[in-house]
Amino acid sequence: MDSRLDVLYQDMPDPFNVPRQWEAFLAHPVARDLLAGDCGIERLLAYLERQPEPPRARVAVILLSHCGSDPVYRRLLAVLEHSDQRLAEAFEPGFWLLPRSQAEMARDLAALVDVTHNPFPLLLLQRPVAAEVRDSLEKFIRWREMPLSAYALYAYAYVPEPRDRAMLEMVARWLDQPSLCSTAGLELLRMGSGEGVAGIRAGLQAADPALRETVYCRLGPYLAKDLVRAAQYDAAAAPTSQVAATDRLIDGLRRREVRP
């Protein structure tokens, strides 16, 4: 199984071309062999249930997306129930190719997370269909359980609506959770509001250098280049050494009209 999936992985379209090249991919001789009859489908499902390496899992899910039966779908959900981050991400190209209602699939993912508290299936909801489970995502955010709440916020903010501002403004005040409050603050900026700058400041001063870098990079569209250069903020430096630079960036946000 490993060697045959490796062959298909080499010939797999890039993620953005999977929908257009799906039929040609399924016509590959190795794909036809792996999908041959009920036994082939069962072998692929059993293989996925052993939590294989993500590149091979990605191919297996794409192959199984050709089989839209309810038992196949339920077993794929069961694999996601126990997935780690890398395995959940491997589901992305194939899972949404299943011939099912995407709204129903989104609700099933949210229900799975609600029961198991496994955050990783939420990574599949960073797409417009997340609007179907907005209430569930809001509940997960309020749990303040990391990384589950962060993943829920990413999905919640994927299709922001004006009514989301109150929720985002609340999260932007959770200064003890820099990854949450800074994400909320940045989403408010995208909506044209500067009400989340305190959360952005917390992100720029967070202990996690990766988070500091992410927040700093996402501020680019909202600040003049000469202001950014003058601030001399260094995301790799110790936060205590960057207080003045952070203040200059935040002051720049406060002094100008924020535009999405």
Side-chain angles (χ1 to χ4, degrees):
M1 180 70 76
D2 285 347
S3 61
R4 287 184 289 175
L5 290 173
D6 284 340
V7 168
L8 286 177
Y9 181 71
Q10 298 303 318
D11 291 341
M12 191 175 71
D14 68 72
F16 296 105
N17 285 323
V18 166
R20 290 192 297 272
Q21 299 179 17
W22 192 40
E23 293 300 330
F25 181 69
L26 291 174
H28 193 292
V30 176
R32 289 203 307 269
D33 179 56
L34 287 171
L35 286 170
D38 292 340
C39 289
I41 293 169
E42 175 59 35
R43 282 194 295 269
L44 282 168
L45 286 167
Y47 180 81
L48 269 179
E49 288 165 349
R50 296 196 294 272
Q51 308 263 319
E53 284 297 304
R56 293 166 182 159
R58 183 174 294 111
V59 178
V61 175
I62 290 174
L63 291 173
L64 287 166
S65 69
H66 183 63
C67 315
S69 71
D70 194 66
V72 169
Y73 174 63
R74 294 297 161 190
R75 285 178 69 177
L76 288 174
L77 285 177
V79 173
L80 280 171
E81 179 179 345
H82 303 288
S83 66
D84 60 13
Q85 178 178 344
R86 295 174 67 230
L87 184 59
E89 289 172 340
F91 266 65
E92 171 64 29
F95 186 74
W96 296 106
L97 290 173
L98 285 160
R100 303 182 71 89
S101 160
Q102 292 201 354
E104 174 195 357
M105 294 165 71
R107 290 191 292 270
D108 287 340
L109 288 171
L112 186 156
V113 173
D114 199 8
V115 171
T116 66
H117 285 224
N118 180 359
F120 302 117
L122 290 175
L123 295 171
L124 295 174
L125 286 172
Q126 293 180 48
R127 52 178 53 233
V129 75
E132 295 288 336
V133 291
R134 191 176 296 275
D135 290 344
S136 293
L137 295 172
E138 183 171 326
K139 177 175 70 173
F140 299 153
I141 294 165
R142 290 179 183 274
W143 284 353
R144 299 182 67 163
E145 182 180 319
M146 298 296 288
L148 188 151
S149 295
Y151 293 162
L153 183 57
Y154 299 155
Y156 184 84
Y158 194 88
V159 280
E161 298 178 0
R163 69 183 180 94
D164 297 333
R165 280 187 54 166
M167 175 69 177
L168 292 171
E169 287 173 6
M170 179 187 74
V171 177
R173 294 192 291 270
W174 294 351
L175 303 185
D176 60 324
Q177 296 274 8
S179 63
L180 294 179
C181 67
S182 60
T183 298
L186 288 163
E187 291 305 321
L188 285 166
L189 279 186
R190 191 154 66 100
M191 297 172 75
S193 169
E195 292 298 317
V197 293
I200 294 170
R201 191 184 196 286
L204 291 169
Q205 287 285 291
D208 180 3
L211 176 60
R212 297 197 300 268
E213 181 69 29
T214 296
V215 175
Y216 178 58
C217 289
R218 288 187 62 187
L219 280 180
Y222 306 100
L223 292 169
K225 291 182 179 179
D226 57 348
L227 187 151
V228 173
R229 285 193 295 269
Q232 296 185 319
Y233 178 84
D234 183 358
T240 53
S241 71
Q242 298 299 300
V243 173
T246 299
D247 289 343
R248 285 192 285 271
L249 294 175
I250 296 301
D251 185 58
L253 288 175
R254 288 191 171 122
R255 283 188 291 103
R256 65 186 293 277
E257 181 183 358
V258 176
R259 297 185 186 277

